[in-house]
Amino acid sequence: MQLLDDHVVLITGGGSGLGLGVARQCLAEGAQVAIMEIAPDKVEHLVAEFGDRVLIRQGDVRSVTDLEALRAAIVERYGRLDALIGCQGIFDGNLPLRETPVDRIDSLFDELFHVNVKGYILSARVFVDLLEENDGAIVLTSSTAAYAADGGGLFYSASKGAVRSVVNQLAFEFAPRIRVNGVAPSGIANSQLQGPAALGLEKVKQSDIPKEDFLEQFRMLAPLQHLPTPEEYGWLYAFLASRRNTLMTGQTIVADQGLFNRAVISFGSKAGGIPVGVVTG
Ligand SMILES: NC(=O)c1ccc[n+]([C@@H]2O[C@H](COP(=O)([O-])OP(=O)(O)OC[C@H]3O[C@@H](n4cnc5c(N)ncnc54)[C@H](O)[C@@H]3O)[C@@H](O)[C@H]2O)c1
């Protein structure tokens, strides 16, 4: 018996990075999977990888029309839905507020919040009755940026904080039939996370940051010294999406490699007393 036998799982934003890894793990755990993805080139790759095994739809989570068409396709093919996993997102290029042109704030805010927050709310609304029929689950993606500064810029961090609140409120409203939880990753290997068009950064990816520099910094700061792959996060999502999770609702799991488990950044990533050269007197 696998974790997701008898589960139909929908992953929004499943074309690359986290969502793709989650989709692979859900399949490995026996789920029947549907994926919604906005980028046509990623949809092509999905079709090449999964063929008919997965229901793949090009669409935008900001569009009720696209979500309702997806819902109709899921009902037609599977007749049910057991879990909705939200993985889509865009980031803000870490731009400090002071450097953000005032005349771009409206469009930047709308773009970030529409994809990162409204997309999750619309999906929850469109699929709630299907999920309720099967004692289903919702799993949404926040970030450590929701908990501490410098995980993104202001707009990204605020949008991820909003996702935590969406998890809290929906867990309350949808209980007892639907469990609603979140995951807050710190960093994800192979991410293609894109910047906002409002700043002309839609072609810029988080992965454009020189990989070795980023990895070196992450290993210095995170006690587990390992940047997890999307598939590694996939296990956690698969559990939260499954009916095996009879334990939690309204929780956002901080999956941070131990990053927040330190009050002060000492030299190096391991505890080792006071570094030579710092002791005086
Ligand atoms: N990369 C990181 O280090 C990191 C850390 C913490 C949290 N996250 C979060 O993890 C999630 C996945 O990010 P990722 O790093 O795998 O990036 P990614 O860009 O590889 O994956 C996101 C996917 O969502 C799709 N998407 C974007 N807008 C969409 C829309 N309107 N409708 C449908 N699909 C849409 C993208 O095309 C992409 O395929 C995001 O919510 C991100 O904020 C990422």
Side-chain angles (χ1 to χ4, degrees), residues 238-259:
F239 171 70
L240 292 174
S242 77
R243 274 180 284 280
R244 294 273 179 89
N245 171 28
T246 53
L247 309 170
M248 287 176 277
T249 196
Q251 297 298 320
T252 295
I253 312 294
V254 178
D256 71 344
Q257 296 287 297
L259 204 58

Side-chain angles (χ1 to χ4, degrees), residues 161-203:
V163 174
R164 283 180 65 196
S165 299
V166 169
V167 166
N168 291 147
Q169 183 65 21
L170 290 186
F172 173 73
E173 290 189 18
F174 291 176
R177 300 294 297 277
I178 303 173
R179 292 142 296 122
V180 184
N181 292 290
V183 176
S186 51
I188 303 170
N190 308 322
S191 157
Q192 300 290 309
L193 200 61
Q194 282 175 277
L199 296 177
L201 295 176
E202 68 274 28
K203 299 267 182 269

